[in-house]
Amino acid sequence: MDADPPIDPKDDPRSVDDLFNAALCEPDEDLAWDAVMALHWRGTREILDRATALATSVCPLERRVGAEVLGQLGCPARTFPDEARDILARMLETETNADALKAAIIAMSHQDGTEGRRATLAFREHPDPEVRWAVVQALSTLGEPWAIAGLIELSRDSDPRVRDWSTFGLGAQTDVDTAEVRAALVARLDDEDAPTRGEALDGLARRNDPAVPSILRERLSRADPDQFEVEAAGELGDPEFLPLLLALRSAGWPGPSWALDGAIAACAPAPMDTPPARPRP
């Protein structure tokens, strides 16, 4: 028997009590988050007050859920943004539980303005990698020098997931192109973590870095280049890569066909203009 389709959060028929109970007590994380999203959509004063009470609770689980609700309250048009931001800022000053702190940092990443996100830099050396990963989310998409410096530092993190996402933040989620950003991306080209290596290469390709073509020539000549390397060739769009890409297609490259097809199209020479028709005598 087919499972029931998920309920659209804006149409969830449950009461506010039922939604908060599910957010706090549902063991399935996806179902618990469904309840949180429904609370986001309603975004009423009652929900703000109840989330605020949870955010200041003595129970870490309640503080985590309070932060999750406050993070996107009133989605898509935010309600009570100043109140939510102030409560989250206080959590950043006092929170000691890693799960609740991660939730508060992620919630702050959804707020307007940058000062709240800047405050998350204080946790870039937190012992829990999940907290450091949350800091990456708060800094990504920002172009301010302090955010870029934070991402560069986190791109050297001991945790591969933190390195991967901070390298993605530097390479793909900002257009900032400085010597420091390029050096940080180059430093990750030989990372032991494959996704991190790929994000570094993609970020350099987006910036047309002169080191990329020789790297791609070598990697696309292998039997098993990864998707990042194929996509980086598409970013450059250089016809010199076309024979290598076509050879991968002929060899049955196991990666996604859309990535290879896109790279081939990007590297193919532009078609010649159709010559004008010869006039009739």
Side-chain angles (χ1 to χ4, degrees), residues 156-251:
R156 302 188 293 265
D157 195 87
S158 60
D159 183 79
R161 184 166 177 250
V162 175
R163 293 199 307 276
D164 175 22
W165 280 86
S166 54
T167 304
F168 172 58
L170 286 171
Q173 292 193 293
T174 177
D175 293 327
V176 174
D177 188 6
T178 63
E180 292 77 13
V181 168
R182 292 197 185 204
L185 294 172
V186 168
R188 301 272 65 81
L189 286 173
D190 295 318
D191 198 281
E192 63 184 18
D193 178 64
T196 302
R197 293 196 304 271
E199 293 293 356
L201 183 63
D202 179 73
L204 290 167
R206 289 171 182 269
R207 290 160 176 80
N208 290 310
D209 190 89
V212 174
S214 60
I215 295 171
L216 281 180
R217 280 193 294 271
E218 188 273 327
R219 295 188 181 180
L220 293 175
S221 298
R222 301 174 184 172
D224 58 346
D226 64 30
Q227 181 178 337
F228 284 105
E229 291 158 355
V230 168
E231 290 182 334
E235 288 285 348
L236 292 184
D238 191 329
E240 89 164 279
F241 300 124
L242 185 59
L244 296 170
L245 295 168
L246 291 173
L248 291 174
R249 176 188 277 173
S250 297

Side-chain angles (χ1 to χ4, degrees), residues 33 60-61 63-71 88 91-92 95 97-110 130-131 134:
W33 187 251
L61 170 61
R63 296 199 301 274
R64 189 202 82 198
V65 172
E68 290 173 344
V69 173
L70 291 168
L88 293 170
M91 287 189 73
L92 294 184
E95 188 56 66
N97 176 266
D99 287 341
L101 180 57
K102 173 186 174 182
I105 292 172
I106 293 293
M108 187 62 84
S109 76
H110 293 297
E130 287 296 306
V131 173

Side-chain angles (χ1 to χ4, degrees), residues 5-280:
I7 299 173
D8 189 312
K10 67 178 181 295
D11 298 325
D12 196 308
R14 288 176 288 182
S15 69
V16 171
D17 281 341
D18 287 342
L19 290 171
F20 270 107
N21 286 337
L24 289 163
C25 303
E26 171 58 59
D28 185 306
E29 292 183 2
D30 291 335
L31 294 178
W33 187 251
D34 287 345
V36 171
M37 288 194 297
L39 292 166
H40 288 162
W41 274 89
R42 294 192 193 179
T44 62
R45 168 62 70 175
E46 177 190 4
I47 293 172
L48 171 71
D49 291 343
R50 294 182 64 162
T52 299
L54 291 176
T56 56
S57 167
V58 296
C59 172
L61 170 61
E62 292 184 350
R63 296 199 301 274
R64 189 202 82 198
V65 172
E68 290 173 344
V69 173
L70 291 168
Q72 300 181 69
L73 191 65
C75 178
R78 299 304 171 82
T79 54
F80 314 107
D82 295 337
E83 292 95 325
R85 188 167 53 248
D86 289 346
I87 297 161
L88 293 170
R90 288 197 293 273
M91 287 189 73
L92 294 184
E93 293 173 354
T94 60
E95 188 56 66
T96 57
N97 176 266
D99 287 341
L101 180 57
K102 173 186 174 182
I105 292 172
I106 293 293
M108 187 62 84
S109 76
H110 293 297
Q111 307 308 302
D112 290 335
T114 59
E115 284 309 301
R117 296 204 214 182
R118 189 169 188 168
T120 68
L121 277 170
F123 305 101
R124 66 190 183 278
E125 297 181 359
H126 192 278
D128 191 309
E130 287 296 306
V131 173
R132 303 197 302 274
W133 176 84
V135 174
V136 172
Q137 308 311 304
L139 301 181
S140 293
T141 73
L142 297 177
E144 285 80 355
W146 52 264
I148 298 299
L151 288 173
I152 288 173
E153 180 178 341
L154 288 161
S155 73
R156 302 188 293 265
D157 195 87
S158 60
D159 183 79
R161 184 166 177 250
V162 175
R163 293 199 307 276
D164 175 22
W165 280 86
S166 54
T167 304
F168 172 58
L170 286 171
Q173 292 193 293
T174 177
D175 293 327
V176 174
D177 188 6
T178 63
E180 292 77 13
V181 168
R182 292 197 185 204
L185 294 172
V186 168
R188 301 272 65 81
L189 286 173
D190 295 318
D191 198 281
E192 63 184 18
D193 178 64
T196 302
R197 293 196 304 271
E199 293 293 356
L201 183 63
D202 179 73
L204 290 167
R206 289 171 182 269
R207 290 160 176 80
N208 290 310
D209 190 89
V212 174
S214 60
I215 295 171
L216 281 180
R217 280 193 294 271
E218 188 273 327
R219 295 188 181 180
L220 293 175
S221 298
R222 301 174 184 172
D224 58 346
D226 64 30
Q227 181 178 337
F228 284 105
E229 291 158 355
V230 168
E231 290 182 334
E235 288 285 348
L236 292 184
D238 191 329
E240 89 164 279
F241 300 124
L242 185 59
L244 296 170
L245 295 168
L246 291 173
L248 291 174
R249 176 188 277 173
S250 297
W253 183 65
S257 59
W258 60 263
L260 183 56
D261 291 344
I264 289 172
C267 293
M272 295 177 61
D273 292 335
T274 303
R278 180 179 299 178
R280 292 179 180 271

